Amino acid sequence: MQVWPGTPYPLGATYDGAGTNFAVFSESADRIELCLIGADGSETAVELRETDAFVRHAYLPGIQPGQRYGFRVHGPYNPGLGQRHNSAKLLLDPYAKAMSGHIDWDESVYGYHFGAPERRNDLDSAPHTMHSVVINPYFDWGTDRPPRTDYHRTVIYEAHVKGLTRLHPGIPEEIRGTYAGLAHPAVIEHLAKLGVTAIELMPVHQFVRDHRLRDLGLANYWGYNTVGFFAPHSSYSSTGDRGQQVQEFKSMVKALHAAGIEVILDVVYNHTAEGNHLGPTLSLRGLDNVSYYRLAQDQRFYEDTTGTGNSLLMRSPHVLQLIMDSLRYWVTEMHVDGFRFDLAATLARQFHEVDRLSSFFDLVQQDPVVSQAKLIAEPWDLGEGGYQVGNFPPLWTEWNGKYRDTVRDLWRGETAALAEFGSRLTGSADLYQDDGRRPIASINFVTCHDGFTLRDLVSYNEKHNQANGEDNRDGESFNRSWNCGVEGPAVDPAVDPAVDPAVDPAVDPAVEELRARQQRNFIATLMLSQGVPMLSHGDELGRTQLGNNNAYCQDNELTWVHWPEGDGPRARLLEFTQGMIWLRRDHPVFRRRRFFHGRPVSGRPRPGAPGSTAPGPAAKGSTAPGPTAPGPGAPASGGFDDLTDIAWFTPAGEEMTKRNWGTSYAKSLTVFLNGYAISEPDRRGGRIVDDSFLLMFNAHFEPLEFTVPAEHGQEWQVVVDTTQPRLPAPGTGARVKAGDSLWLTDRSLMVLQRPA
């Protein structure tokens, strides 16, 4: 076999049409062997003799895509100093673009003997671990272009590749649960009709099934256990794991882009699947443990702010390079449009504290590729000071956990939630305005993969995680949920978890109707809020996990989306969700790019207006604890030029005061959104004019009488009423006039529209 010197960059295995360049970093290794795996499992070892800046490299002519390989690293083994080299372990390439096979959790994949962690284990792991694969990088992208949907027009749909497609009746059986299944016209049609503009995929970086879960007969379903930051997860491929998964993933992205749907990846750069000091030796640990992981003062152990056993060393230039190279690869080669960073606070821990000036943020800010992608932080981790909602740099958007909590509190009837709700409804200016960010910095959500589904949020007071094998100790115990009077389903969920009470009398119709209304309340609130809405897959279909709020290990029908047939309650919820998303997309007043400022479009504050629409004392920069007073009335022409961009009213139609906002038991209000007073211009600098709306929220446990404010429009039409399973057809909603009274059912929401 010919071995040429090769080059130290790019790292990993790079096929150029004639052969493959291999390059791998290790500062502490004495020598490294590249091991080529034959069809029969045999190895051909090639020592990487060339070294540049601790990168060992070689070029092998004739090595083709599909070739499996790994590394054996020779060097010191001294856990007390953090050194864990062991040439008996075949290591995965951190830069591998594809990975093949599975880990069977034989004792040989560990660096120690079971029952004797102090004894070094020299058993060969090659037959029991995964292999890296050389891929063909060439792909016909044709005319593929990123949709580049503006944030204010974005509607995100969080989904699981397998869970979304495994039970879809319109997808051929052989591609269900795969990238090809996600690219199938039946799924794309669902997403397009729903109105989402971006699909946020739960982890698709190569991950592994945990040893503990294997022993329990469970699986790592969610995928937050990464072992390869460049490789698409092979189990989601319908065509093979010798590089075919890369081609299939690219085809999926191309199909979604053709439908105008962006692809955002949920990425896990905070830890790896190697776990703590008792974890396996799969890749980074055996390559250079000290350079890649945060070690404790006693270097046998690991610092852990992720709850998974280890955390990557974010002050190491090699870790930062690994992450940035990975991000650029997924944008440039795989054409993805953005990233949601799991436990992103850990990425800001150069030392101990979370630091928004950390090197990672600097690198992202100045990178010409990564900085242009959508960057979404899960702004917390499990370490000290890890809850950082509102504290990420201006380039970033954030999962707004405060929005989730506040909206849940309002609709479950929690006291003293009204002022906080006003802040969240209007884009959370208290969190994002002071650092120059806009409402789009807030990724609003009510549910996500972690926690109850929307159906379960209104069906369970307590978690029911017994199936996870931890005696119901796992998962969040405080869910801000309300079961509407009955814990769980009233019938056998195996028959139908969202059974129609009109068909099955065993279901309490009042409970089911209330649960359906509460789901509509949450969906409507989400779509009417300023910021970027995110919907969790299957919530539009009433998906249930039977009260399991931590279904990370349930790869079965409990977590997979069940697709409805006919015109049952789940189909009607889908139709309602579609209507709310399209209402939002049709009206820029619900997706403003700037915060409300309490002025009419002319910029002149109304007489007596305090100059701020901040809904509560928590809002930054507000000059009054309550919103602005309404103006003296719309002009005779019927326009709204002289009215403030937003106004707040009690159910009686009177201006909200400090006392109203501070009343702990208050759970109801009316919000006026002025379509004539949108401050931001369109792309060509022109004025944006929209219809105006009244949003009436009654989260009280009894029906309340609402009065239409007298001076903000004479005639209105009902376009949303969450007591009804469907939105009224355009132009058919009930018409009301200023001063009219409307009775809103307990726990319901109504939207009135006035044409521009």
Side-chain angles (χ1 to χ4, degrees):
M1 179 182 297
Q2 288 185 306
V3 180
W4 298 353
T7 59
Y9 194 85
L11 290 162
T14 306
Y15 174 70
D16 63 6
T20 302
N21 189 83
F22 295 90
V24 61
F25 162 80
S26 178
E27 185 172 345
S28 56
D30 294 333
R31 62 189 183 94
I32 298 178
E33 293 175 300
L34 165 67
C35 298
L36 304 177
I37 311 299
D40 60 355
S42 61
E43 292 183 27
T44 300
V46 177
E47 185 170 350
L48 303 179
R49 299 182 182 277
E50 297 292 328
T51 305
D52 289 276
F54 302 112
V55 175
R56 316 293 175 104
H57 53 89
Y59 180 91
L60 275 60
I63 296 299
Q64 299 291 307
Q67 174 65 59
R68 293 178 297 158
Y69 69 98
F71 296 114
R72 293 191 184 274
V73 178
H74 301 260
Y77 182 84
N78 188 341
L81 296 178
Q83 298 168 330
R84 294 181 178 271
H85 296 300
N86 188 336
S87 61
K89 312 306 170 188
L90 186 70
L91 303 178
L92 291 164
D93 181 358
Y95 279 75
K97 308 302 190 302
M99 294 182 179
S100 173
H102 300 279
I103 299 170
D104 65 10
W105 301 114
D106 182 79
E107 187 175 5
S108 61
V109 301
Y110 292 84
Y112 62 93
H113 286 280
F114 292 166
E118 72 286 351
R119 287 180 52 216
R120 171 172 162 149
N121 181 341
D122 289 325
L123 296 172
D124 185 4
S125 69
H128 305 282
T129 191
M130 302 176 72
H131 303 135
S132 306
V133 179
V134 177
I135 70 156
N136 184 348
Y138 305 107
F139 179 79
D140 182 10
W141 283 104
T143 59
D144 180 73
R145 294 291 184 274
R148 296 194 183 281
T149 306
D150 292 332
Y151 262 121
H152 70 284
R153 295 180 180 273
T154 297
V155 177
I156 298 174
Y157 188 78
E158 186 196 31
H160 189 283
V161 171
K162 185 174 184 180
L164 183 63
T165 62
R166 183 64 185 85
L167 298 177
H168 197 298
I171 301 175
E173 177 67 33
E174 62 271 16
I175 63 170
R176 293 180 186 177
T178 69
Y179 304 122
L182 195 58
H184 191 274
V187 173
I188 291 180
E189 180 183 14
H190 173 77
L191 297 175
K193 284 185 176 180
L194 188 58
V196 300
T197 67
I199 186 167
E200 181 179 301
L201 297 179
M202 291 176 64
V204 295
H205 287 175
Q206 184 68 55
F207 61 87
V208 300
R209 182 186 187 188
D210 309 53
H211 191 167
R212 182 186 67 84
L213 293 178
R214 192 281 309 267
D215 291 347
L216 291 172
L218 301 171
N220 191 314
Y221 173 65
W222 285 353
Y224 294 93
N225 204 32
T226 307
V227 74
F229 295 118
F230 294 77
H233 187 60
S234 58
S235 294
Y236 297 156
S237 171
S238 65
T239 49
D241 68 355
R242 300 292 181 88
Q244 297 95 329
Q245 61 265 53
V246 179
Q247 302 294 311
E248 189 171 325
F249 183 93
K250 290 179 177 179
S251 295
M252 176 197 72
V253 173
K254 185 177 179 181
L256 288 164
H257 280 181
I261 299 171
E262 293 183 305
V263 178
I264 298 171
L265 302 187
D266 192 339
V267 290
V268 190
Y269 293 115
N270 51 74
H271 74 279
T272 76
E274 291 187 300
N276 62 16
H277 63 289
L278 298 178
T281 299
L282 305 175
S283 181
L284 302 181
R285 173 173 285 143
L287 281 167
D288 195 332
N289 190 54
V290 175
S291 292
Y292 282 112
Y293 291 116
R294 290 188 64 188
L295 302 182
Q297 186 172 3
D298 182 343
Q299 293 185 301
R300 293 174 299 170
F301 306 110
Y302 296 81
E303 294 284 352
D304 177 20
T305 58
T306 65
T308 61
N310 66 57
S311 300
L312 288 177
L313 183 63
M314 294 306 298
R315 64 177 178 270
S316 164
H318 306 290
V319 169
L320 293 170
Q321 180 185 11
L322 173 70
I323 295 173
M324 295 305 298
D325 284 350
S326 170
L327 291 170
R328 277 191 297 271
Y329 173 79
W330 285 96
V331 174
T332 59
E333 297 297 321
M334 307 295 270
H335 285 209
V336 305
D337 305 283
F339 306 93
R340 178 266 189 188
F341 293 80
D342 177 65
L343 299 181
T346 291
L347 303 178
R349 293 182 186 271
Q350 275 188 222
F351 297 97
H352 176 72
E353 296 83 6
V354 177
D355 182 3
R356 64 180 293 172
L357 301 178
S358 72
S359 297
F360 173 69
F361 292 134
D362 291 342
L363 290 171
V364 170
Q365 182 76 35
Q366 60 80 39
D367 190 280
V369 174
V370 179
S371 64
Q372 299 307 301
K374 283 185 166 67
L375 302 172
I376 304 170
E378 182 185 34
W380 50 77
D381 66 11
L382 302 183
E384 182 181 355
Y387 192 75
Q388 294 291 320
V389 174
N391 291 329
F392 274 67
L395 188 66
W396 291 69
T397 63
E398 303 176 14
W399 271 24
N400 191 343
K402 292 187 177 181
Y403 177 94
R404 171 201 60 203
D405 296 346
T406 301
V407 172
R408 288 186 179 192
D409 279 348
L410 179 81
W411 286 115
R412 74 189 179 105
E414 189 71 7
T415 58
L418 200 58
E420 179 88 3
F421 173 71
S423 291
R424 304 301 154 236
L425 180 73
T426 54
S428 296
D430 57 318
L431 299 177
Y432 305 116
Q433 190 171 37
D434 276 3
D435 59 12
R437 287 190 282 178
R438 301 286 177 85
I440 57 173
S442 179
I443 305 298
N444 298 329
F445 67 105
V446 176
T447 60
C448 63
H449 68 273
D450 189 1
F452 283 146
T453 66
L454 185 60
R455 168 80 183 183
D456 289 355
L457 186 67
V458 301
S459 303
Y460 295 89
N461 286 348
E462 308 295 336
K463 63 184 179 181
H464 296 268
N465 299 353
Q466 289 81 1
N468 295 353
E470 298 183 45
D471 296 325
N472 207 36
R473 294 189 303 268
D474 63 307
E476 176 61 56
S477 296
F478 181 46
N479 294 281
R480 291 183 161 88
S481 61
W482 179 51
N483 64 15
C484 298
V486 176
E487 185 73 359
V491 295
D492 183 2
V495 177
D496 188 349
V499 67
D500 190 337
V503 175
D504 192 326
V507 177
D508 185 335
V511 171
E512 286 300 303
E513 195 282 327
L514 177 56
R515 287 177 176 176
R517 188 164 75 247
Q518 284 285 71
Q519 290 176 83
R520 293 192 291 268
N521 288 336
F522 282 119
I523 289 170
T525 303
L526 181 64
M527 296 305 158
L528 297 171
S529 299
Q530 305 297 323
V532 181
M534 185 186 78
L535 191 68
S536 181
H537 75 310
D539 275 354
E540 76 279 18
L541 303 170
R543 185 174 76 90
T544 178
Q545 293 175 170
L546 304 182
N548 191 322
N549 74 349
N550 190 35
Y552 75 102
C553 56
Q554 299 295 329
D555 186 3
N556 49 54
E557 294 199 12
L558 181 70
T559 52
W560 302 340
V561 173
H562 294 253
W563 295 83
E565 298 180 3
D567 187 29
R570 289 186 289 162
R572 292 195 291 272
L573 180 60
L574 170 61
E575 183 180 344
F576 180 88
T577 307
Q578 290 171 331
M580 287 307 308
I581 292 176
W582 284 99
L583 179 69
R584 177 187 180 85
R585 292 187 70 176
D586 288 344
H587 293 285
V589 75
F590 297 127
R591 42 183 177 82
R592 292 173 51 121
R593 304 196 309 275
R594 296 177 182 171
F595 289 109
F596 293 100
H597 46 59
R599 296 191 300 271
V601 69
S602 64
R604 299 187 301 273
R606 300 257 344 131
S612 168
T613 58
K620 296 179 181 178
S622 87
T623 57
T628 58
S637 64
F640 286 82
D641 283 349
D642 289 340
L643 298 178
T644 54
D645 53 2
I646 189 171
W648 307 79
F649 303 93
T650 67
E654 300 171 348
E655 173 198 349
M656 292 280 284
T657 65
K658 279 187 179 182
R659 183 175 181 179
N660 297 135
W661 286 111
T663 302
S664 63
Y665 58 80
K667 303 178 183 67
S668 305
L669 80 165
T670 295
V671 187
F672 167 70
L673 302 182
N674 189 351
Y676 274 84
I678 298 174
S679 58
E680 62 266 19
D682 64 20
R683 286 175 179 262
R684 297 185 177 183
R687 180 180 173 187
I688 298 175
V689 176
D690 190 16
D691 298 343
S692 295
F693 292 86
L694 288 172
L695 316 181
M696 297 178 169
F697 297 90
N698 181 20
H700 191 54
F701 60 84
E702 292 180 326
L704 287 180
E705 184 178 16
F706 277 66
T707 300
V708 179
E711 300 177 332
H712 285 70
Q714 295 304 309
E715 294 187 359
W716 301 85
Q717 186 170 44
V718 176
V719 292
V720 177
D721 182 355
T722 59
T723 65
Q724 302 301 313
R726 292 185 171 93
L727 299 184
T732 65
R735 297 183 181 275
V736 297
K737 295 183 178 181
D740 284 355
S741 294
L742 297 170
W743 277 94
L744 264 67
T745 300
D746 56 289
R747 300 183 179 91
S748 70
L749 182 161
M750 189 175 289
V751 179
L752 309 184
Q753 180 179 3
R754 182 192 186 280

